[in-house]
Amino acid sequence: MSDQRKLQIYHTIKLVPEGKVASYAQIADLAGLPRRARLVGYYLKQLESTNTIPWHRVIKSNGEIAFPNDSEMAKKQCQYLLSEGVSVTNFRINMKKYQWMPEIVDILYNLKF
DNA sequence: CACGTGACATATC
DNA sequence: CGATATGCCACGT
């Protein structure tokens, strides 16, 4: 069922460490669903307010917050990020500095030999 | 079954 | 940096 993809996506987002961010596309890739960034957004939209998923660490690939700049959600997301050390300026984040680089990439690299 | 929508992305100009 | 075009796909209508 599609429930599997949903869980896979949620699981992947939970791996993003505090103080780091990941794009919708990156989450989709790591979840085994390449080119399906929109699906990540779709499932995040389904979250209940009681979840423990760090949804605020998921942003657009260009570094922008996905919500409209004048929305309450955008403000909340910025606040969460700032509180964990991620600098946010005009609803934008410096990806070079804060993009999450999953350890699994290194592990896979080492397994090549 | 045909369209429109959307917490997205990438390529080109 | 912005603007356009195209890809993507689950869902609702």
Side-chain angles (χ1 to χ4, degrees):
Chain A
M1 305 267 292
S2 65
D3 237 12
Q4 185 54 46
R5 295 181 300 184
K6 183 175 180 178
L7 294 177
Q8 190 61 33
I9 286 172
Y10 284 173
H11 175 68
T12 303
I13 295 174
K14 285 182 184 173
L15 299 179
V16 183
E18 196 179 299
K20 290 290 178 182
V21 296
S23 71
Y24 290 84
Q26 185 181 10
I27 294 299
D29 286 347
L30 294 174
L33 299 164
R35 289 191 273 342
R36 295 205 214 180
R38 302 194 86 127
L39 194 62
V40 175
Y42 174 74
Y43 283 132
L44 276 184
K45 195 173 51 181
Q46 318 279 307
L47 286 181
E48 298 296 331
S49 55
T50 56
N51 67 72
T52 58
I53 295 176
W55 58 270
H56 57 281
R57 297 178 191 146
V58 185
I59 64 179
K60 295 209 228 175
S61 64
N62 64 3
E64 293 178 275
I65 293 294
F67 295 105
N69 294 356
D70 54 22
S71 70
E72 287 304 313
M73 286 303 286
K75 292 176 190 170
K76 180 182 291 185
Q77 185 166 9
C78 289
Q79 184 220 314
Y80 279 133
L81 288 173
L82 288 169
S83 75
E84 46 184 68
V86 176
S87 109
V88 183
T89 307
N90 286 5
F91 302 94
R92 279 185 288 107
I93 289 111
N94 182 324
M95 292 297 274
K96 294 289 185 185
K97 193 159 192 162
Y98 301 104
Q99 186 170 53
W100 175 47
M101 283 306 186
E103 298 79 0
I104 199 161
V105 170
D106 290 339
I107 293 174
L108 290 175
Y109 179 79
N110 291 324
L111 286 178
K112 281 183 178 177
F113 305 101

